[in-house]
Amino acid sequence: MKKTLIAAAVMAASGVAFAAPNVTLYGVIEEGVVVSKAKHGDNKVELASGFAQGSRWGITGVEDLGNGYNVGFVLEQGFSADNGAEGTAGKAFNRESFLYVKGGFGSFGFGRTGALSYAQTQAILTGWAFGTSYGGSSWTSAIANNFGRMDNVLSYATPSFNGFTGHVMYSNGLTSDSAKWSDNNHYYGIGVKYQANAIKSSLIFEAADNKGTAVPAKTAGDLLSMQEYFLVNGLDEDKDGNKVEYATWSKDKANKAEYEKWAETELATAEEAKRPIYVINYGLEYNLGSWTPMFAYQFAHQNNGRRTHMFGLSTTAQLGGGKAMFGARFVFGKDFQKKVGANDVKVDGDVRAWTIGAGYEYPLSKRTAVKAYAGYADSGKAWKEVEDVAYNGYQVFLGMRHSF
């Protein structure tokens, strides 16, 4: 149950005045036990928070401006119920911090929120029973390519036209936009969603230019000055362990040769990081009453990097007074990475993987439910030895969720 009066008390106690009577405090606490084993890895038993639904608390508010217009906000912070840690260090509202205006024109907002294919209030992803949660069965697990929560977002959604809505999203800098525009890492998203009668469907195109993830391409010698490299890497000792000044160190030919070798490697990595990535997601759901079959597809492309197709078939069903979920998906394509999963497996070539999962949620009350899940993943070709349960291994989860 959402506690409007509690939210009002919190705001009043903080000394903040507000006029809107419909400020709402809400939250979710989920915790459980996850048993997992990755290929070549050890069995793990962990007390985990937010495996199926992220633990969070938040505040929402809406003010009626008249003439069909209103302004609202969403402030949401994640946390780990098992240790009390904040969702992201240094962010007061790491899940969402969003201000919007709605009217006859549609909805326009800005702030921090999730991508169109992720979660939060602006997301339109459809077609997968497990959504963006449930560990290895998440549509956003390691084998997939999805954008998550982003800073500096502008988002617009059209009014509904016979069930169709259009959505446009842009991030001026996924984590920062303090540099000049051409050096920021931008996100672009456009999508359409249809929801009417028994059908729900969405088609989303997204891209990131990755401009802000690397030093501009120059020569190896221009990548960093010798002094910058010296300071950044703490190279303040000679080969005998004695402290030396930069001027002395920079004259050492062996150190200079080592730097130039490092710079060439960093330049190659910088060029690789600057490649833009493009992702398409399509989803379709058909509600048949007691069960809802779903289909999902994703195509991802990055030059000389990952180029994959992912297909998923899943369903939700009313079973035994609760909700059951079943899903299977298959990924194939090509991948290039220098490090994958928990080990140093290098991937350069054809890849494939399949994942199956089953989950169940049983309500104990309107606000409390128990949850269970089991999933298994197996990969082949260049992903065969990846030590990660999203690629190879299993997960079993049992937990409880309480909402307020």
Side-chain angles (χ1 to χ4, degrees), residues 1-2 26-29 53 366-369 401-404:
M1 183 182 298
K2 297 178 180 179
Y26 66 94
V28 172
I29 303 174
Q53 190 173 2
K366 291 182 178 180
R367 294 184 293 149
T368 305
R401 181 219 69 216
H402 178 78
S403 59
F404 60 89

Side-chain angles (χ1 to χ4, degrees), residues 76-80 85-96 112 149 151 175:
E76 189 171 282
Q77 169 71 321
F79 63 91
S80 296
E86 60 184 326
T88 301
K91 288 188 179 292
F93 296 102
N94 71 299
R95 291 178 62 92
E96 190 160 19
R112 175 176 170 82
R149 298 183 180 92
D151 297 344
T175 56

Side-chain angles (χ1 to χ4, degrees), residues 128-384:
W128 184 242
F130 298 99
T132 58
S133 58
Y134 281 97
S137 284
S138 169
W139 196 250
T140 60
S141 66
I143 62 174
N145 289 272
N146 287 78
F147 302 96
R149 298 183 180 92
M150 307 176 298
D151 297 344
N152 309 301
V153 167
L154 300 174
S155 180
Y156 170 71
T158 70
S160 178
F161 300 101
N162 298 318
F164 287 95
T165 54
H167 302 261
V168 180
M169 184 177 289
Y170 164 75
S171 170
N172 198 48
L174 294 179
T175 56
S176 174
D177 63 352
S178 58
K180 66 179 182 179
W181 186 88
S182 59
D183 285 343
N184 293 327
N185 188 5
H186 309 102
Y187 161 91
Y188 307 87
I190 184 169
V192 59
K193 182 177 180 180
Y194 177 78
Q195 185 170 357
N197 301 318
I199 299 176
K200 183 187 295 185
S201 182
S202 62
L203 177 63
I204 307 167
F205 171 82
E206 296 171 293
D209 53 25
N210 288 328
K211 289 182 177 179
T213 61
V215 176
K218 298 182 180 179
T219 65
D222 291 335
L223 189 63
L224 283 175
S225 71
M226 290 292 287
Q227 187 171 11
E228 286 175 330
Y229 179 68
F230 180 85
L231 296 174
V232 169
N233 291 275
L235 299 176
D236 56 353
E237 294 181 355
D238 62 18
K239 294 180 179 179
D240 298 322
N242 300 313
K243 297 288 184 180
V244 295
E245 297 295 329
Y246 162 73
T248 302
W249 181 89
S250 63
K251 294 176 182 179
D252 189 312
K253 293 182 179 180
N255 280 336
K256 185 175 181 179
E258 178 184 344
Y259 158 73
E260 290 176 345
K261 182 179 179 181
W262 172 88
E264 290 176 0
T265 301
E266 285 297 300
L267 183 63
T269 303
E271 283 296 286
E272 184 178 311
K274 288 169 70 67
R275 298 173 309 199
I277 184 170
Y278 308 93
V279 181
I280 296 173
N281 281 284
Y282 172 73
L284 175 65
E285 307 176 13
Y286 194 86
N287 190 337
L288 296 175
S290 61
W291 67 295
T292 303
M294 304 180 186
F295 168 77
Y297 167 74
Q298 181 187 92
F299 171 71
H301 174 74
Q302 190 172 20
N303 287 333
N304 299 317
R306 180 174 288 187
R307 182 185 177 93
T308 54
H309 301 269
M310 183 164 69
F311 296 86
L313 290 175
S314 62
T315 185
T316 61
Q318 300 302 314
L319 183 65
K323 183 178 78 171
M325 295 161 286
F326 305 94
R329 65 180 173 183
F330 181 68
V331 183
F332 68 92
K334 294 183 180 295
D335 194 20
F336 172 78
Q337 295 187 65
K338 295 182 178 180
K339 180 179 175 65
V340 183
N343 55 4
D344 290 323
V345 171
K346 295 182 179 179
V347 173
D348 186 6
D350 293 337
V351 295
R352 67 167 181 249
W354 59 269
T355 307
I356 57 173
Y360 188 69
E361 299 179 3
Y362 183 80
L364 300 177
S365 70
K366 291 182 178 180
R367 294 184 293 149
T368 305
V370 292
K371 298 183 176 184
Y373 165 82
Y376 179 77
D378 183 73
S379 297
K381 296 187 179 295
W383 280 349
K384 185 176 182 180

Side-chain angles (χ1 to χ4, degrees), residues 1-4 7 24-28 56-60 73-77 95-96 120-121 403-404:
M1 183 182 298
K2 297 178 180 179
K3 303 294 187 180
T4 301
T24 302
L25 174 70
Y26 66 94
V28 172
R56 85 291 296 265
W57 71 274
I59 304 172
T60 63
F73 67 88
V74 181
L75 300 174
E76 189 171 282
Q77 169 71 321
R95 291 178 62 92
E96 190 160 19
Q120 309 312 127
T121 59
S403 59
F404 60 89

